[in-house]
Amino acid sequence: MASSLFIFFLSLFHPLSVLSATVLEDLATLTPPPDFTTTITTNCLRNPLLRYCNSTSSSSSSPMNIAEIFRYTIVASHLCNESKNPNCVDDSFPKIRIHSRPKTAALYLSFDFFWKYCPLTVLEIELVNNSLKSEFPTNVLSCAQVRTLDLSHNQLSGSVPVQILSGLTNLTHLNLSYNRFSISDSEFLKRFNASSFLHSGLLPDAKRHKTKVLVLLIVFLIVVVLLCCCLGWLCLKRPDYLPRTCRRRSHKFTSAMLDAATDEFSDQRLVSKRDGVDIYRGTLRDGREAKIEVYTEKVSKAKRREFEEECEAVLKLRHKNLVRVLGWCNSRNLRALVTEWTNGENVETWLSSSSASSWRRRLRVVMGVVEGVSYLSEQWPEITFDLDTSSVLLSGDGPEPLISQFKIGDGNSSSTNIFTFGLFLLEMITSLKPDEVQEDSAMRYLEYIRVHCPGNVERVVDEKMKIEERTLEKVKEAITLGLMCTDGTPLKQQSFTQIYDMVVSLYESSSRHH
Ligand SMILES: *[C@@H]1O[C@H](CO)[C@@H](O)[C@H](O)[C@H]1NC(C)=O
Ligand SMILES: *[C@@H]1O[C@H](CO)[C@@H](O)[C@H](O)[C@H]1NC(C)=O
Ligand SMILES: *[C@@H]1O[C@H](CO)[C@@H](O)[C@H](O)[C@H]1NC(C)=O
Ligand SMILES: *[C@@H]1O[C@H](CO)[C@@H](O)[C@H](O)[C@H]1NC(C)=O
Ligand SMILES: *[C@@H]1O[C@H](CO)[C@@H](O)[C@H](O)[C@H]1NC(C)=O
Ligand SMILES: *[C@@H]1O[C@H](CO)[C@@H](O)[C@H](O)[C@H]1NC(C)=O
């Protein structure tokens, strides 16, 4: 066998001993010598296994492709030299070895006719580190007798032709490491150990897998931390963005929330400005409108704690005649009380309009106020209220009055409360207010009414009501009640329960006359 191969190469390469430097030049210029056909015919007779001899088989009618076989001998001779085989003229040719020469490797791989007739002597093929970017070079596998195939350090991709590879029975050393094949779990791969497929993409990469898991874990942790930060920020600044069930104290407003509700306390949102209190009309995140009373006075820590307690108390008020408190803000830079927004006008404005022309309707308002006030003085004696006609609001068609300003722990005794109510009642009848600018104005105001009562009552009663003779008696009764409340001597004062009964009976009698 060895001697016959020896003869093959000797005779084959002999006429080509005048090769030039590049394979491409030779392929372009050289032509088969006259005795070339005879040479290969002789070779095939000696060794029918030679791959190019197959094309002359008796069953095939096509003649041997002499030109192609000649080209093959040129490439074989060059490749032998490129692969640094010791003797390319008169010895066999055992290895194809191109390392780190991308252009050369790609060129030789492109000679399909060479690989088709791959010399039988080649036992080792190494095409390492050549940046090959194609799919697996299957033409190489025509060299079915190889024992070593090393394609490591390239960028080969796609799947590996495991079926053809499993047919290479003599293949004992395979290296596909450092490529980009797609993963495969073929039985064939088990013939080799894992060092044949390092970073080849073929096997699940344990290390990369671990790294991936680690990276995922870190990303997950970062996400969790970020989420916690966001949540923490929301809890501190904008709890109104949290679902209702997650909010610990839905009546706590932060300054950021009120900022957002009032367009950063813009002038357009400012409704009124009084000493120490700015009132804004705000829109909460859930769409509700709210009245936001901002207390501008700077106060001590102790006062702030007191304010907090007041708010806690006021929050629990539940009565149809008391404005509903939604919550408050008590931060270092902002103290505010948030109540529901009522569209209705206040009693003061109402009194000056034509809709206040009915005695009965006025009594209806007074009745609502007494109801609210009774509830407060019975259930929440520590809470006092402001019954100024400008702070009592009207809502609905009733109209139903809403007491909208409370204070806590100011030490208002029940006598002060009753005095306040007395003044309110008198205002409801006369449509006149004590002049707030003047000192001692309430006393003068009461004095003025007392002078005309009971003899000259028509002078003080609001003309808009057009009181008839029969009703006048009742109006007189009402004025007397108001004056009694403001009498100043606590003993004579009524309790709100009594007052309520009296107002109800006045209201009922007014219905009989209409
Ligand atoms: C000859 O070629 C045919 C197909 O063309 C193939 O089946 C056969 O195995 C080849 N024989 C040799 C000796 O290479
Ligand atoms: C053979 O290879 C050497 C370098 O390895 C080169 O200098 C020489 O030109 C080559 N010969 C042929 C005929 O290709
Ligand atoms: C691959 O070839 C490049 C140069 O083409 C060389 O710098 C690098 O060291 C080689 N890598 C290996 C693993 O042989
Ligand atoms: C494998 O090697 C043996 C011994 O060297 C040889 O007889 C056989 O033909 C080879 N197989 C192939 C497919 O080349
Ligand atoms: C893998 O096979 C090579 C030779 O084929 C050997 O040198 C190496 O020790 C083997 N590695 C393992 C982990 O078995
Ligand atoms: C395959 O090649 C890589 C890189 O050159 C090397 O680390 C590995 O040991 C080789 N494996 C075998 C089986 O030769």
Side-chain angles (χ1 to χ4, degrees), residues 319 321-322 367-377 385 403:
H319 193 272
N321 296 112
L322 301 180
M367 212 161 69
V369 166
V370 181
E371 277 178 47
V373 160
S374 307
Y375 165 81
L376 272 181
S377 54
F385 40 84
I403 299 168

Side-chain angles (χ1 to χ4, degrees), residues 144-145 147 169-170:
Q145 73 287 354
R147 298 180 179 162
T169 46
N170 285 356

Side-chain angles (χ1 to χ4, degrees), residues 180-196:
R180 298 170 183 173
F181 294 114
S182 355
I183 200 157
S184 161
D185 64 347
S186 159
E187 272 299 311
F188 164 76
L189 300 184
K190 304 213 170 86
R191 256 170 67 183
F192 304 89
N193 70 29
S195 79
S196 297

Side-chain angles (χ1 to χ4, degrees), residues 128 150 152-153 173-178 192-198:
V128 175
D150 191 340
S152 62
H153 289 285
H173 185 213
L174 175 70
N175 201 339
L176 300 179
S177 300
Y178 297 97
F192 304 89
N193 70 29
S195 79
S196 297
F197 310 110
L198 305 170

